[in-house]
Amino acid sequence: KIPEGGVSFSKVSGHKYPIARLKTISEDEDKVYITPIDQPLEDFELLNKAQELSKTPLKYIYDFGGLVLPWITINQIEEIPWLEDVYTISRNGAKMAVNQALQKINFKIDEKGTAPDWKTSYQRDYIIDRTFVLWLERPTLNMPLLVASFPDAHWKRMLE
């Protein structure tokens, strides 16, 4: 459970589920958002969904206290074949081809990332118990830095 104060909630037009924004300790003022989706999305469909939700104005809601979501651990390396044979320019001006592109993803949601809740809340928690999408925005980038979908096959257990 991410306690009240570590999360805020909002709604956007055209999306039926609340969007949770997690408080981060990033120096870059990163913003991490989580929201359920009805069916798993992959690749560019997933990126397009995150960008659509990101660009839609948020309306803050105060219906929930904390956030309860599944315990997730992802540790994988994936090839990105569509970047192969793309050319770039090095810092010294030399033209270079990308021979192999790998993306390493280490991501974890567990009880170590949450602080104990010392407050008493009279609001119910929002429970994410279906496939959800998570995206990370960085103010210096014009698109999300990370977008991931988590169907229940990735869940270890529900956080409490």
Short mmCIF file of all heavy atoms in Angstrom, two decimals, residues 11 17 41 46 48 53 57 68-71 81-82 94 104 112 124 128 130 132 143 149:
data_model
loop_
_atom_site.label_atom_id
_atom_site.label_comp_id
_atom_site.label_asym_id
_atom_site.label_seq_id
_atom_site.Cartn_x
_atom_site.Cartn_y
_atom_site.Cartn_z
N LYS A 11 -8.76 12.33 -12.66
CA LYS A 11 -9.52 11.72 -13.75
C LYS A 11 -9.21 12.51 -15.02
O LYS A 11 -8.85 13.68 -14.95
CB LYS A 11 -11.02 11.81 -13.48
CG LYS A 11 -11.53 11.02 -12.31
CD LYS A 11 -11.70 9.56 -12.57
CE LYS A 11 -12.91 9.29 -13.42
NZ LYS A 11 -13.12 7.89 -13.72
N TYR A 17 -11.14 5.06 -15.50
CA TYR A 17 -10.49 4.75 -14.21
C TYR A 17 -9.72 5.95 -13.68
O TYR A 17 -9.20 6.76 -14.45
CB TYR A 17 -9.52 3.57 -14.38
CG TYR A 17 -10.18 2.33 -14.89
CD1 TYR A 17 -9.99 1.89 -16.19
CD2 TYR A 17 -11.01 1.58 -14.06
CE1 TYR A 17 -10.59 0.74 -16.66
CE2 TYR A 17 -11.62 0.42 -14.51
CZ TYR A 17 -11.40 0.01 -15.82
OH TYR A 17 -12.01 -1.13 -16.27
N LEU A 41 -2.02 -3.80 -23.61
CA LEU A 41 -1.57 -3.15 -24.84
C LEU A 41 -0.08 -3.41 -24.99
O LEU A 41 0.63 -3.61 -24.00
CB LEU A 41 -1.83 -1.65 -24.77
CG LEU A 41 -3.26 -1.20 -24.54
CD1 LEU A 41 -3.32 0.30 -24.33
CD2 LEU A 41 -4.14 -1.61 -25.72
N LEU A 46 0.65 0.89 -26.51
CA LEU A 46 0.87 1.24 -25.11
C LEU A 46 1.44 2.65 -24.97
O LEU A 46 0.98 3.45 -24.16
CB LEU A 46 1.80 0.21 -24.46
CG LEU A 46 2.08 0.34 -22.99
CD1 LEU A 46 0.80 0.22 -22.18
CD2 LEU A 46 3.07 -0.74 -22.55
N ASN A 48 1.15 5.07 -27.16
CA ASN A 48 0.11 6.01 -27.57
C ASN A 48 -0.91 6.24 -26.46
O ASN A 48 -1.36 7.36 -26.24
CB ASN A 48 -0.59 5.53 -28.84
CG ASN A 48 0.29 5.62 -30.06
OD1 ASN A 48 1.27 6.36 -30.09
ND2 ASN A 48 -0.02 4.83 -31.07
N LEU A 53 -3.17 9.86 -22.37
CA LEU A 53 -3.54 10.18 -20.99
C LEU A 53 -2.70 11.32 -20.44
O LEU A 53 -3.19 12.17 -19.69
CB LEU A 53 -3.40 8.95 -20.11
CG LEU A 53 -4.37 7.80 -20.41
CD1 LEU A 53 -3.99 6.56 -19.62
CD2 LEU A 53 -5.81 8.22 -20.12
N PRO A 57 -5.88 17.11 -20.00
CA PRO A 57 -5.87 17.82 -18.71
C PRO A 57 -6.43 16.96 -17.57
O PRO A 57 -7.45 16.29 -17.73
CB PRO A 57 -6.77 19.03 -18.96
CG PRO A 57 -6.77 19.21 -20.44
CD PRO A 57 -6.61 17.83 -21.03
N VAL A 68 -3.49 0.73 -3.26
CA VAL A 68 -3.09 -0.66 -3.09
C VAL A 68 -2.92 -1.24 -4.49
O VAL A 68 -3.82 -1.14 -5.32
CB VAL A 68 -4.15 -1.47 -2.31
CG1 VAL A 68 -3.74 -2.93 -2.20
CG2 VAL A 68 -4.36 -0.86 -0.93
N LEU A 69 -1.74 -1.81 -4.75
CA LEU A 69 -1.49 -2.38 -6.06
C LEU A 69 -0.62 -3.62 -5.94
O LEU A 69 -0.06 -3.89 -4.88
CB LEU A 69 -0.86 -1.36 -7.00
CG LEU A 69 0.49 -0.78 -6.66
CD1 LEU A 69 1.12 -0.24 -7.92
CD2 LEU A 69 0.35 0.36 -5.68
N PRO A 70 -0.51 -4.40 -7.00
CA PRO A 70 0.25 -5.65 -6.93
C PRO A 70 1.74 -5.43 -6.74
O PRO A 70 2.29 -4.40 -7.13
CB PRO A 70 0.00 -6.30 -8.30
CG PRO A 70 -1.11 -5.55 -8.91
CD PRO A 70 -1.15 -4.21 -8.29
N TRP A 71 2.38 -6.42 -6.16
CA TRP A 71 3.82 -6.45 -6.01
C TRP A 71 4.38 -6.91 -7.36
O TRP A 71 4.07 -7.98 -7.85
CB TRP A 71 4.17 -7.44 -4.92
CG TRP A 71 5.62 -7.57 -4.59
CD1 TRP A 71 6.69 -7.23 -5.35
CD2 TRP A 71 6.15 -8.10 -3.38
NE1 TRP A 71 7.84 -7.51 -4.71
CE2 TRP A 71 7.54 -8.05 -3.49
CE3 TRP A 71 5.57 -8.62 -2.24
CZ2 TRP A 71 8.38 -8.50 -2.48
CZ3 TRP A 71 6.42 -9.06 -1.24
CH2 TRP A 71 7.79 -8.99 -1.36
N PRO A 81 14.99 -4.09 -32.22
CA PRO A 81 15.49 -4.26 -33.60
C PRO A 81 15.20 -3.08 -34.52
O PRO A 81 15.97 -2.85 -35.47
CB PRO A 81 14.79 -5.53 -34.08
CG PRO A 81 13.62 -5.70 -33.18
CD PRO A 81 13.97 -5.07 -31.87
N TRP A 82 14.16 -2.32 -34.26
CA TRP A 82 13.84 -1.22 -35.16
C TRP A 82 14.86 -0.07 -35.07
O TRP A 82 14.89 0.81 -35.93
CB TRP A 82 12.42 -0.72 -34.95
CG TRP A 82 12.08 -0.25 -33.57
CD1 TRP A 82 11.58 -1.00 -32.55
CD2 TRP A 82 12.22 1.07 -33.06
NE1 TRP A 82 11.40 -0.23 -31.43
CE2 TRP A 82 11.79 1.05 -31.71
CE3 TRP A 82 12.66 2.27 -33.60
CZ2 TRP A 82 11.80 2.18 -30.90
CZ3 TRP A 82 12.66 3.41 -32.78
CH2 TRP A 82 12.24 3.33 -31.47
N ALA A 94 31.55 12.20 -36.06
CA ALA A 94 31.62 11.02 -36.92
C ALA A 94 30.24 10.38 -37.06
O ALA A 94 29.48 10.30 -36.10
CB ALA A 94 32.61 10.02 -36.34
N LYS A 104 17.49 -2.31 -21.04
CA LYS A 104 17.48 -3.02 -19.77
C LYS A 104 16.43 -2.38 -18.87
O LYS A 104 16.42 -1.17 -18.69
CB LYS A 104 18.85 -2.95 -19.10
CG LYS A 104 18.91 -3.74 -17.82
CD LYS A 104 20.31 -3.77 -17.23
CE LYS A 104 20.30 -4.61 -15.97
NZ LYS A 104 21.63 -4.71 -15.39
N LYS A 112 9.00 -2.16 0.34
CA LYS A 112 10.18 -1.36 0.67
C LYS A 112 10.09 0.05 0.10
O LYS A 112 10.72 0.96 0.61
CB LYS A 112 11.44 -2.04 0.16
CG LYS A 112 11.74 -3.34 0.88
CD LYS A 112 12.97 -3.99 0.30
CE LYS A 112 13.18 -5.35 0.94
NZ LYS A 112 14.27 -6.08 0.31
N ARG A 124 -11.51 5.52 1.67
CA ARG A 124 -11.12 4.18 1.27
C ARG A 124 -9.91 4.26 0.33
O ARG A 124 -9.69 5.28 -0.33
CB ARG A 124 -12.28 3.47 0.59
CG ARG A 124 -12.65 4.01 -0.77
CD ARG A 124 -13.95 3.38 -1.26
NE ARG A 124 -14.20 3.59 -2.66
CZ ARG A 124 -14.60 4.71 -3.21
NH1 ARG A 124 -14.79 5.79 -2.46
NH2 ARG A 124 -14.83 4.81 -4.49
N ILE A 128 -5.93 -1.35 -7.25
CA ILE A 128 -5.74 -1.75 -8.64
C ILE A 128 -5.59 -3.26 -8.65
O ILE A 128 -4.59 -3.80 -8.17
CB ILE A 128 -4.51 -1.05 -9.26
CG1 ILE A 128 -4.76 0.46 -9.33
CG2 ILE A 128 -4.21 -1.63 -10.64
CD1 ILE A 128 -3.64 1.27 -9.93
N ARG A 130 -6.41 -5.20 -11.59
CA ARG A 130 -6.54 -5.60 -13.00
C ARG A 130 -5.31 -5.09 -13.73
O ARG A 130 -4.50 -4.35 -13.17
CB ARG A 130 -7.82 -5.03 -13.60
CG ARG A 130 -7.87 -3.52 -13.57
CD ARG A 130 -9.08 -2.82 -14.17
NE ARG A 130 -10.07 -3.62 -14.79
CZ ARG A 130 -11.28 -3.91 -14.27
NH1 ARG A 130 -11.61 -3.43 -13.09
NH2 ARG A 130 -12.15 -4.65 -14.91
N PHE A 132 -2.73 -2.96 -15.54
CA PHE A 132 -2.57 -1.51 -15.46
C PHE A 132 -1.38 -1.06 -16.28
O PHE A 132 -0.51 -1.84 -16.63
CB PHE A 132 -2.47 -1.03 -14.01
CG PHE A 132 -1.27 -1.51 -13.25
CD1 PHE A 132 -0.12 -0.74 -13.18
CD2 PHE A 132 -1.29 -2.72 -12.58
CE1 PHE A 132 0.98 -1.17 -12.46
CE2 PHE A 132 -0.20 -3.16 -11.86
CZ PHE A 132 0.94 -2.38 -11.79
N MET A 143 8.15 13.13 -24.49
CA MET A 143 7.37 11.90 -24.44
C MET A 143 7.80 11.12 -23.19
O MET A 143 8.83 11.41 -22.61
CB MET A 143 7.55 11.07 -25.72
CG MET A 143 8.95 10.61 -25.97
SD MET A 143 9.22 9.76 -27.57
CE MET A 143 7.65 9.17 -28.03
N SER A 149 3.15 -1.99 -19.26
CA SER A 149 1.86 -2.55 -18.91
C SER A 149 2.10 -3.78 -18.05
O SER A 149 3.03 -4.54 -18.30
CB SER A 149 1.10 -2.95 -20.19
OG SER A 149 -0.10 -3.58 -19.86
#
